Amino acid sequence: MSATPLRDDPLLRRLDAALAQVNQVLLGKPRQVKLAFACLIAGGHLLLEDVPGVGKTTLAHALAATFSLDFQRVQFTSDLLPSDIIGVSVYERETAQFRFHPGPIFAGLLLADEINRATPKTQSALLEAMAEGQVTVDGQTHALPVPFYVVATQNPLDLNGTFALPDSQLDRFMLRISLGYPDAGAERALLTGSDRRGLLAQLQPQLDGAGLLELQQRAQAVATSQALLDYLQALLAASRRHTEIRVGLSPRAGLSLLAAARSWALLSGRNHVLPEDLQALFVPLAGHRLVPSRGSSGDALARELLAEVAVD
């Protein structure tokens, strides 16, 4: 891809319009919206962690409508079963055979709402789907749509009725972001403007699955220098030797960081990755993967790593 600015390329102009449309629904959160776009363009799954009522579900709806993705929502509860998500094989008397009835996971974008309210057994139903784009039921493998994304919302773990996501599940999410409360101006616009549900119903597709796949291919072609790869590896190595980190970043985390940085550069209208791209994405990508040895949070440790590792 050339270094053409967004507005000078037809596909990237549509991407620019898609960003603008989602920002019209989720007011005052341009960085979080850009992070969500970078995640999807990089082919990753997104975890939204925050208190109820700040727009997590609205963002998922807006992404699905803007990218013209088949949308399914599953409300995770303590009595939800894996078959409620994946589907079930039902015996048909007429054919004397079992027939698979797909569950809501067979969608372009699955919203796993309040994922940490379900039991670990049910949470694990997403592992194969998120890692390999398929599910296995009764020994039969069923491919999921392409593209396929999981956008999960999660309440803070100190709220009642929540189950912590295991490390293996957290690692399936490329980015974890928090929307936070709106600033005064955005909140006033929310209070005086149209209902968000009405705005969601009016959203028009700006891109489709084919366009999204083309964006992914373009992002993969974004150039990375040897110096940038040295910086990325230095961040990974620092996470593995930090005295307060029990489990550092894996090679898969490094690949995810590189893919997300390429998407971030594409969204910024560049055909090459800068160290600033890695820095913009490092905390959302690393914070939920780092396992502290003490009471520090993963996000705080990720920020420490950024401060400690110099850009050569």
Side-chain angles (χ1 to χ4, degrees):
M1 192 192 82
S2 67
T4 308
L6 285 174
R7 62 182 178 273
D8 293 335
D9 183 287
L11 180 62
L12 298 183
R13 282 203 302 268
R14 290 164 59 196
L15 177 59
D16 203 20
L19 275 165
Q21 176 168 271
V22 176
N23 278 313
Q24 288 174 358
V25 177
L26 197 72
L27 299 178
K29 302 296 178 183
R31 182 175 184 276
Q32 288 88 337
V33 170
K34 187 177 178 181
L35 285 169
F37 271 63
C39 186
L40 265 61
I41 293 172
H45 306 289
L46 180 65
L47 180 61
L48 303 173
E49 183 179 81
D50 219 320
V51 297
V54 294
K56 302 186 298 295
T57 303
T58 298
L59 175 57
H61 275 283
L63 290 171
T66 298
F67 285 100
S68 190
L69 296 170
D70 181 30
F71 178 82
Q72 291 286 346
R73 174 182 177 179
V74 176
Q75 183 66 48
F76 278 56
T77 57
S78 59
D79 58 351
L80 190 73
L81 299 175
S83 59
D84 296 328
I85 303 169
I86 295 174
V88 63
S89 294
V90 177
Y91 182 77
E92 293 184 338
R93 186 176 301 174
E94 296 80 4
T95 61
Q97 293 180 338
F98 284 91
R99 181 181 177 188
F100 178 64
H101 290 253
I105 200 170
F106 287 83
L109 191 150
L110 173 70
L111 172 59
D113 212 3
E114 297 185 308
I115 188 174
N116 59 334
R117 289 197 178 275
T119 61
K121 180 179 180 179
T122 300
Q123 292 175 8
S124 66
L126 295 173
L127 289 176
E128 181 185 12
M130 295 173 69
E132 302 177 34
Q134 64 182 32
V135 296
T136 303
V137 181
D138 298 330
Q140 297 293 318
T141 299
H142 305 272
L144 294 170
V146 178
F148 166 73
Y149 299 103
V150 173
V151 175
T153 70
Q154 174 172 264
N155 294 324
L157 294 179
D158 56 354
L159 296 184
N160 292 330
T162 58
F163 300 85
L165 296 180
D167 294 340
S168 59
Q169 179 72 69
L170 286 171
D171 191 52
R172 297 299 195 277
F173 291 101
M174 177 175 282
L175 299 182
R176 182 194 63 178
I177 64 176
S178 175
L179 298 180
Y181 293 112
D183 59 30
E187 189 163 37
R188 178 61 63 92
L190 284 170
L191 293 171
T192 58
S194 302
D195 181 75
R196 297 298 102 179
R197 288 171 295 183
L199 289 178
L200 287 172
Q202 298 171 15
L203 294 182
Q204 297 297 318
Q206 303 298 324
L207 289 158
D208 55 14
L212 187 50
L213 291 174
E214 184 178 346
L215 285 171
Q216 290 178 2
Q217 293 173 356
R218 292 201 186 189
Q220 291 170 5
V222 171
T224 55
S225 67
Q226 293 301 313
L228 183 117
L229 294 176
D230 289 342
Y231 178 51
L232 190 155
Q233 284 191 284
L235 288 169
L236 298 178
S239 76
R240 297 164 189 166
R241 63 171 180 262
H242 196 288
T243 57
E244 295 187 13
I245 298 176
R246 182 162 53 87
V247 179
L249 297 175
S250 68
R252 180 164 58 185
L255 289 170
S256 295
L257 179 56
L258 186 60
R262 282 175 162 144
S263 298
W264 189 267
L266 181 70
L267 286 162
S268 302
R270 284 183 278 102
N271 66 345
H272 58 281
V273 180
L274 298 175
E276 290 83 350
D277 301 325
L278 296 178
Q279 293 164 353
L281 291 153
F282 190 70
V283 174
L285 185 136
H288 62 290
R289 289 181 166 91
L290 296 173
V291 179
S293 57
R294 302 175 190 171
S296 301
S297 71
D299 287 359
L301 290 170
R303 294 187 185 95
E304 282 187 29
L305 292 172
L306 280 179
E308 291 174 3
V309 178
V311 180
D312 293 330

